[in-house]
Short mmCIF file of all heavy atoms in Angstrom, two decimals:
data_model
loop_
_atom_site.label_atom_id
_atom_site.label_comp_id
_atom_site.label_asym_id
_atom_site.label_seq_id
_atom_site.Cartn_x
_atom_site.Cartn_y
_atom_site.Cartn_z
N GLY B 224 -4.92 28.40 42.79
CA GLY B 224 -5.53 28.93 44.00
C GLY B 224 -5.23 28.02 45.18
O GLY B 224 -5.54 28.34 46.32
N GLY B 225 -4.62 26.87 44.91
CA GLY B 225 -4.28 25.93 45.98
C GLY B 225 -5.38 24.92 46.20
O GLY B 225 -6.03 24.48 45.26
N MET B 226 -5.59 24.53 47.46
CA MET B 226 -6.60 23.53 47.80
C MET B 226 -7.80 24.21 48.45
O MET B 226 -7.64 25.10 49.28
CB MET B 226 -6.01 22.51 48.79
CG MET B 226 -4.80 21.77 48.24
SD MET B 226 -3.99 20.75 49.49
CE MET B 226 -5.23 19.46 49.69
N THR B 227 -9.01 23.76 48.11
CA THR B 227 -10.21 24.27 48.75
C THR B 227 -10.08 24.11 50.27
O THR B 227 -9.75 23.02 50.75
CB THR B 227 -11.45 23.51 48.28
OG1 THR B 227 -11.63 23.74 46.88
CG2 THR B 227 -12.71 23.97 49.02
N ALA B 228 -10.34 25.18 51.01
CA ALA B 228 -10.28 25.15 52.47
C ALA B 228 -8.88 24.90 53.00
O ALA B 228 -8.71 24.39 54.10
CB ALA B 228 -11.27 24.14 53.05
N LYS B 229 -7.87 25.23 52.19
CA LYS B 229 -6.49 25.10 52.67
C LYS B 229 -6.28 26.02 53.86
O LYS B 229 -6.95 27.05 54.00
CB LYS B 229 -5.51 25.44 51.56
CG LYS B 229 -5.47 26.92 51.15
CD LYS B 229 -4.47 27.17 50.01
CE LYS B 229 -4.50 28.64 49.56
NZ LYS B 229 -3.61 28.89 48.40
N ALA B 230 -5.34 25.66 54.72
CA ALA B 230 -4.99 26.53 55.84
C ALA B 230 -4.42 27.83 55.30
O ALA B 230 -3.66 27.82 54.33
CB ALA B 230 -3.95 25.84 56.72
N PRO B 231 -4.79 28.96 55.90
CA PRO B 231 -4.17 30.23 55.49
C PRO B 231 -2.65 30.10 55.58
O PRO B 231 -2.13 29.57 56.56
CB PRO B 231 -4.70 31.23 56.51
CG PRO B 231 -6.02 30.66 56.93
CD PRO B 231 -5.81 29.18 56.95
N GLY B 232 -1.96 30.54 54.54
CA GLY B 232 -0.50 30.45 54.54
C GLY B 232 0.05 29.23 53.84
O GLY B 232 1.24 29.17 53.53
N ARG B 233 -0.81 28.23 53.56
CA ARG B 233 -0.33 27.01 52.91
C ARG B 233 0.11 27.31 51.47
O ARG B 233 -0.59 27.97 50.73
CB ARG B 233 -1.43 25.95 52.91
CG ARG B 233 -1.03 24.62 52.28
CD ARG B 233 -1.47 24.54 50.83
NE ARG B 233 -1.19 23.24 50.23
CZ ARG B 233 -1.37 22.96 48.94
NH1 ARG B 233 -1.83 23.89 48.12
NH2 ARG B 233 -1.08 21.78 48.46
N VAL B 234 1.28 26.82 51.11
CA VAL B 234 1.83 27.04 49.78
C VAL B 234 1.96 25.69 49.07
O VAL B 234 2.39 24.71 49.66
CB VAL B 234 3.22 27.69 49.86
CG1 VAL B 234 3.73 28.03 48.46
CG2 VAL B 234 3.18 28.93 50.74
N GLY B 235 1.58 25.66 47.80
CA GLY B 235 1.71 24.44 47.01
C GLY B 235 2.99 24.40 46.21
O GLY B 235 3.94 25.14 46.51
N ASP B 236 3.03 23.55 45.18
CA ASP B 236 4.27 23.33 44.45
C ASP B 236 4.53 24.27 43.27
O ASP B 236 5.67 24.33 42.81
CB ASP B 236 4.36 21.87 43.99
CG ASP B 236 3.21 21.47 43.09
OD1 ASP B 236 2.09 21.95 43.33
OD2 ASP B 236 3.42 20.69 42.15
N PRO B 237 3.53 25.00 42.74
CA PRO B 237 3.85 25.84 41.56
C PRO B 237 5.02 26.80 41.74
O PRO B 237 5.84 26.93 40.83
CB PRO B 237 2.53 26.59 41.30
CG PRO B 237 1.47 25.68 41.83
CD PRO B 237 2.10 25.07 43.07
N PRO B 238 5.16 27.46 42.90
CA PRO B 238 6.30 28.37 43.06
C PRO B 238 7.58 27.69 43.50
O PRO B 238 8.60 28.36 43.65
CB PRO B 238 5.82 29.36 44.12
CG PRO B 238 4.83 28.61 44.93
CD PRO B 238 4.23 27.56 44.05
N VAL B 239 7.54 26.38 43.72
CA VAL B 239 8.75 25.65 44.14
C VAL B 239 9.42 25.08 42.88
O VAL B 239 8.98 24.07 42.34
CB VAL B 239 8.42 24.53 45.15
CG1 VAL B 239 9.70 23.81 45.57
CG2 VAL B 239 7.70 25.10 46.36
N PHE B 240 10.47 25.77 42.44
CA PHE B 240 11.13 25.35 41.20
C PHE B 240 11.81 24.00 41.41
O PHE B 240 12.51 23.80 42.39
CB PHE B 240 12.11 26.42 40.74
CG PHE B 240 11.39 27.69 40.37
CD1 PHE B 240 11.37 28.78 41.24
CD2 PHE B 240 10.65 27.76 39.21
CE1 PHE B 240 10.66 29.92 40.92
CE2 PHE B 240 9.93 28.90 38.88
CZ PHE B 240 9.93 29.98 39.75
N GLY B 241 11.57 23.10 40.47
CA GLY B 241 12.06 21.73 40.61
C GLY B 241 10.96 20.80 41.11
O GLY B 241 11.08 19.59 40.98
N ALA B 242 9.90 21.37 41.66
CA ALA B 242 8.76 20.56 42.13
C ALA B 242 7.63 20.64 41.10
O ALA B 242 7.44 19.72 40.32
CB ALA B 242 8.30 21.04 43.49
N GLY B 243 6.90 21.78 41.09
CA GLY B 243 5.76 21.92 40.19
C GLY B 243 6.08 22.65 38.90
O GLY B 243 5.26 22.63 37.97
N THR B 244 7.21 23.30 38.83
CA THR B 244 7.59 24.11 37.67
C THR B 244 9.09 23.97 37.42
O THR B 244 9.88 24.08 38.36
CB THR B 244 7.27 25.60 37.92
OG1 THR B 244 5.89 25.73 38.32
CG2 THR B 244 7.50 26.44 36.66
N TRP B 245 9.47 23.73 36.17
CA TRP B 245 10.89 23.66 35.82
C TRP B 245 11.06 23.84 34.31
O TRP B 245 10.22 23.38 33.54
CB TRP B 245 11.52 22.32 36.24
CG TRP B 245 13.01 22.28 36.03
CD1 TRP B 245 13.69 21.66 35.01
CD2 TRP B 245 14.00 22.91 36.84
NE1 TRP B 245 15.05 21.87 35.16
CE2 TRP B 245 15.27 22.63 36.26
CE3 TRP B 245 13.94 23.70 38.00
CZ2 TRP B 245 16.46 23.11 36.81
CZ3 TRP B 245 15.13 24.16 38.54
CH2 TRP B 245 16.38 23.86 37.94
N ALA B 246 12.11 24.52 33.90
CA ALA B 246 12.42 24.64 32.47
C ALA B 246 13.91 24.79 32.29
O ALA B 246 14.55 25.62 32.95
CB ALA B 246 11.69 25.83 31.85
N ASP B 247 14.46 23.98 31.39
CA ASP B 247 15.89 24.01 31.08
C ASP B 247 16.04 23.51 29.65
O ASP B 247 15.67 22.37 29.35
CB ASP B 247 16.65 23.11 32.07
CG ASP B 247 18.15 23.10 31.83
OD1 ASP B 247 18.61 23.71 30.84
OD2 ASP B 247 18.86 22.48 32.64
N ASN B 248 16.54 24.36 28.76
CA ASN B 248 16.70 23.95 27.36
C ASN B 248 17.45 22.64 27.21
O ASN B 248 17.25 21.90 26.25
CB ASN B 248 17.45 25.03 26.57
CG ASN B 248 16.54 26.18 26.17
OD1 ASN B 248 15.36 26.21 26.52
ND2 ASN B 248 17.09 27.15 25.43
N ALA B 249 18.34 22.35 28.16
CA ALA B 249 19.16 21.14 28.07
C ALA B 249 18.34 19.87 28.25
O ALA B 249 18.79 18.79 27.87
CB ALA B 249 20.27 21.19 29.13
N THR B 250 17.18 19.99 28.85
CA THR B 250 16.36 18.80 29.11
C THR B 250 14.90 19.01 28.72
O THR B 250 14.46 18.57 27.67
CB THR B 250 16.43 18.41 30.60
OG1 THR B 250 16.17 19.56 31.41
CG2 THR B 250 17.81 17.83 30.93
N CYS B 251 14.15 19.71 29.55
CA CYS B 251 12.71 19.80 29.32
C CYS B 251 12.09 20.96 30.08
O CYS B 251 12.74 21.60 30.90
CB CYS B 251 12.04 18.49 29.79
SG CYS B 251 12.35 18.12 31.53
N ALA B 252 10.83 21.21 29.77
CA ALA B 252 10.01 22.15 30.55
C ALA B 252 8.83 21.37 31.10
O ALA B 252 8.24 20.55 30.39
CB ALA B 252 9.52 23.29 29.67
N ILE B 253 8.51 21.62 32.38
CA ILE B 253 7.47 20.84 33.06
C ILE B 253 6.58 21.75 33.90
O ILE B 253 7.06 22.64 34.60
CB ILE B 253 8.12 19.78 33.99
CG1 ILE B 253 8.79 18.70 33.14
CG2 ILE B 253 7.08 19.18 34.94
CD1 ILE B 253 9.56 17.69 33.93
N SER B 254 5.27 21.50 33.82
CA SER B 254 4.32 22.13 34.73
C SER B 254 3.44 21.02 35.30
O SER B 254 2.83 20.26 34.55
CB SER B 254 3.45 23.16 34.00
OG SER B 254 2.41 23.60 34.85
N ALA B 255 3.37 20.95 36.62
CA ALA B 255 2.68 19.84 37.28
C ALA B 255 1.37 20.27 37.90
O ALA B 255 1.12 21.47 38.13
CB ALA B 255 3.58 19.23 38.35
N THR B 256 0.52 19.30 38.18
CA THR B 256 -0.73 19.54 38.91
C THR B 256 -1.02 18.32 39.77
O THR B 256 -0.80 17.19 39.34
CB THR B 256 -1.90 19.81 37.95
OG1 THR B 256 -3.10 19.96 38.71
CG2 THR B 256 -2.08 18.67 36.94
N GLY B 257 -1.47 18.56 40.97
CA GLY B 257 -1.77 17.43 41.85
C GLY B 257 -1.57 17.83 43.30
O GLY B 257 -1.60 19.02 43.63
N HIS B 258 -1.39 16.84 44.14
CA HIS B 258 -1.22 17.09 45.57
C HIS B 258 0.19 17.66 45.78
O HIS B 258 1.17 16.92 45.91
CB HIS B 258 -1.42 15.79 46.35
CG HIS B 258 -1.68 16.02 47.80
ND1 HIS B 258 -2.53 15.26 48.55
CD2 HIS B 258 -1.22 16.97 48.64
CE1 HIS B 258 -2.55 15.71 49.80
NE2 HIS B 258 -1.76 16.74 49.88
N GLY B 259 0.29 18.99 45.85
CA GLY B 259 1.56 19.70 45.81
C GLY B 259 2.61 19.22 46.79
O GLY B 259 3.79 19.18 46.46
#
Side-chain angles (χ1 to χ4, degrees):
Chain B
M226 300 172 70
T227 297
K229 70 181 177 184
R233 181 263 184 186
V234 185
D236 59 324
V239 180
F240 295 102
T244 307
W245 186 257
D247 181 354
N248 280 3
T250 50
C251 57
I253 290 174
S254 171
T256 177
H258 198 145

